[in-house]
Every structure is written in structure tokens, then in C-alpha cells.
């Protein structure tokens, strides 16, 4: 099925007639059907497609944030609803902050818990991501969200061993900097600006999750790392709905280590240098 056209996939998984198509990226195509448009994504593997489909369903069933409906998942293909896009809006951002807080509050069985039906061997973007449950966030975060990407970055020559030692020391002190213990939150998991769609309906929609149970500040830190329109309003709405523990600003870099190292693995040295800068304040108690 890897040689199929997105139109054929859309027609088969929805039972509708194809009218037109529009390539959005190399892996994503919007296909117009007789019942409305859908988005067809070549996720690269069956595991990645299944993980994303399960993540969308898990986020959607919380009833807190808007996500595209999943029309079908087969092999490496994923077919979802299409979201008509509008412009970023301060009122929508404030509402989104409240919705994101509600999503996180629906919780997860454990840190690292995958969505129901989702694989343990999942993905964040094109990088493998292990959804292995744990009870203690600092230990789990270091073991499954920082160190695997640090080791790969060193193995591939993106980070030097002496530089990696700084990040390893930060991992040893996560517990010292983590703040008060919190229950596992239901995370989007890859919440950068490109996965936040400002809908024409005046609401924010979320796409392309790497959903799992984690610390709610990780989603917020990733949103801050790569920029988001009206971010101050998003955070305002979030704090109104679910106030964060004191000292959140001092913990932002700790939570950003995970996405920075993922990006170092995928995109190279510049992100490795950013990860090193982020780690230094946490490398001692």
C-alpha cells in the first residue's frame, strides 16, 4: 500500500468519491471528497500512524480541546478531518489556555502511559519515543525523555562527551528542580506552534500529537520554546483554570530539554547547543 496515492487511500477509508487534491507537504495531502475535505498523511510507518490515531482519539475523548476526527488508519496511512484555518486571536488564545488546562486535568494512568490502543514504541515527529509507564516523574523524565536522545546525539557526533556530561548532571538533579509533585497529565506531547491550528471557527485545534502521560508543564514549555501567537493570553487562561506551582519560570528550561534533544537528533548541532545552554542551570543542586 506504500505506493498508493492519497486519493485512493481517502476514497477507500471513507467510502466517498474524490473530487480534487492539494498537496500540503511531502507527507500530507488535503483531498476534497463529495462529503467534504479530509487530510491524508503518510506517517512513515504503521506504528507511527497507529500512535497518532490513538493519540487524537485520546485527546478528543477528554472533551476539552478540539482535534480532527480520525476517519481511518491503515498501514502507514492516516485519514483525518480537515480544519479550515483562520487567524490567531487573543480571545481564542485565552479560551485555548483554559481548554488545555482541562485536557491536562483529565489525567493519565501513569507518566509515560500511552493512549489506549497506542503502541509503547511510539514517535515524536520522526524520532522514536518510548511510552514506558513510571510513577516518579523526575526519574521517568530523565530515563525516558532526556537520556535516550542524549545518547543518540552523542553516538551520532552531534554532542561531544564533555558536553553530554553537563546534561547528565542535570538529569541527576531533576528531583531538586522539579517543583511539587503532580499527578500525570494527559499531554499532547508535541505542542509546538506548527501543531496548533487557529481555526476559522474561532477556536484552536490541535494536530499531530505524541500523546502520553506526563507533566503538564512540559506541554507549556514546548509551546513557549518554539513560539506561539498570543502566548501570554494562553498562559493567562491556563493559570485562571489551573494555577501552576510557584517557580514555573525557573523550570521551563528543564522541561525544554526533551524537545531540544529530540530536535538535536533530527536536525543537528544548533539544537544540541541550545540543549546544553538549557541544561546548565540544572546541573547542580
Amino acid at each position: 500500500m506504500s505506493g498508493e496515492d492519497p486519493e485512493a487511500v481517502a476514497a477507500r477509508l471513507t467510502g466517498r468519491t474524490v473530487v480534487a487534491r492539494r498537496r500540503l507537504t511531502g507527507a500530507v495531502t488535503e483531498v476534497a471528497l463529495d462529503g467534504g475535505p479530509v487530510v491524508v498523511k503518510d506517517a512513515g510507518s504503521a506504528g507511527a500512524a497507529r500512535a497518532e490515531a490513538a493519540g487524537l482519539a485520546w485527546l478528543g475523548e477528554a472533551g476539552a480541546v478540539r482535534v480532527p476526527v480520525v476517519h481511518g488508519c491503515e498501514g502507514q496511512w492516516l485519514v483525518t478531518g480537515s480544519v479550515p484555518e483562520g487567524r490567531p486571536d487573543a480571545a481564542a488564545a485565552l479560551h485555548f489556555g483554559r481548554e488545555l488546562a482541562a485536557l491536562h486535568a483529565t489525567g493519565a494512568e501513569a507518566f509515560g502511559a500511552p493512549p489506549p490502543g497506542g503502541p509503547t514504541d511510539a514517535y515524536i515527529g520522526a524520532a522514536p519515543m518510548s511510552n514506558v509507564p513510571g510513577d516518579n516523574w523526575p526519574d521517568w523524565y530523565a530515563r525516558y525523555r532526556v537520556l535516550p536522545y542524549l545518547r543518540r546525539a552523542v553516538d551520532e557526533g552531534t554532542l561531544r562527551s564533555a558536553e553530554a556530561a553537563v546534561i547528565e548532571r542535570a538529569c541527576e538533579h531533576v528531583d531538586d528542580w522539579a517543583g511539587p509533585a503532580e499527578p500525570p497529565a494527559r499531554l499532547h506531547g508535541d505542542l509546538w506552534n506548527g501543531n496548533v491550528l487557529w481555526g476559522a471557527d474561532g477556536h484552536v485545534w490541535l494536530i499531530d500529537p505524541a500523546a502520553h502521560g506526563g507533566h503538564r508543564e512540559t506541554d507549556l514549555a514546548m509551546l513557549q520554546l518554539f513560539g506561539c501567537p498570543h502566548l501570554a493570553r494562553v498562559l493567562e487562561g491556563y493559570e485562571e483554570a489551573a494555577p501552576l506551582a510557584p517557580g514555573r519560570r525557573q523550570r521551563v528550561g528543564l522541561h525544554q530539554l526533551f524537545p531540544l534533544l529530540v530536535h538535536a537528533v533530527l536536525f543537528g548541532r544548533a539544537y544540541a547547543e541550545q540543549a546544553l545552554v538549557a541544561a546548565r542551570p540544572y546541573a547542580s543542586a
Side-chain angles (χ1 to χ4, degrees):
M1 279 178 279
S2 61
E4 280 191 290
D5 290 328
E7 299 99 305
V9 174
R12 186 175 64 257
L13 293 186
T14 64
R16 299 174 184 170
T17 301
V18 173
V19 176
R21 62 173 280 179
R22 179 168 67 102
R23 181 78 69 175
L24 302 180
T25 70
V28 181
T29 303
E30 184 179 69
V31 178
L33 302 172
D34 57 3
V38 296
V39 171
V40 181
K41 180 177 181 179
D42 181 347
S45 70
R50 187 160 61 92
E52 186 171 334
L56 286 170
W58 193 47
L59 299 183
E61 74 182 17
V65 297
R66 287 164 173 78
V67 296
V69 63
V70 176
H71 290 295
C73 177
E74 182 180 81
Q76 69 200 51
W77 296 104
L78 177 66
V79 179
T80 66
S82 178
V83 179
E85 292 192 53
R87 294 185 177 182
D89 175 83
L94 185 69
H95 192 62
F96 170 51
R98 296 168 181 154
E99 291 178 329
L100 186 60
L103 172 70
H104 289 164
T106 59
E109 290 186 0
F111 297 110
T120 298
D121 295 325
Y123 293 84
I124 177 167
M129 183 183 78
S130 294
N131 283 330
V132 177
D135 296 325
N136 179 278
W137 182 79
D139 292 343
W140 169 85
Y141 181 69
R143 184 174 180 181
Y144 293 108
R145 290 297 179 265
V146 178
L147 290 175
Y149 306 99
L150 176 63
R151 294 186 187 108
R152 181 170 164 182
V154 172
D155 289 345
E156 295 175 355
T158 309
L159 265 171
R160 304 178 186 93
S161 295
E163 294 171 329
V166 175
I167 299 175
E168 288 170 345
R169 287 198 299 274
C171 286
E172 293 169 1
H173 294 291
V174 172
D175 194 37
D176 299 319
W177 294 96
E182 294 204 358
R186 187 172 304 202
L187 298 191
H188 176 279
D190 192 8
L191 197 60
W192 72 286
N193 184 48
N195 290 338
V196 176
L197 299 185
W198 301 82
D201 60 0
H203 296 284
V204 169
W205 293 68
L206 301 183
I207 62 171
D208 297 349
H212 61 279
H215 196 299
R216 59 190 180 133
E217 290 182 14
T218 303
D219 263 357
L220 296 175
M222 192 179 296
L223 201 61
Q224 182 172 336
L225 176 61
F226 297 113
C228 176
H230 305 292
L231 178 61
R233 295 287 279 172
V234 174
L235 294 175
E236 179 185 347
Y238 194 102
E239 289 271 15
E240 286 177 0
L244 295 156
R248 183 194 73 84
R249 288 184 177 85
Q250 286 69 50
R251 296 188 292 270
V252 169
L254 183 67
H255 288 271
Q256 289 177 343
L257 276 177
F258 166 43
L260 283 171
L261 285 168
V262 170
H263 276 68
V265 164
L266 293 176
F267 305 115
R269 176 67 186 175
Y271 289 105
E273 292 173 349
Q274 289 185 52
L276 187 61
V277 170
R280 283 194 177 108
Y282 311 104
S284 60

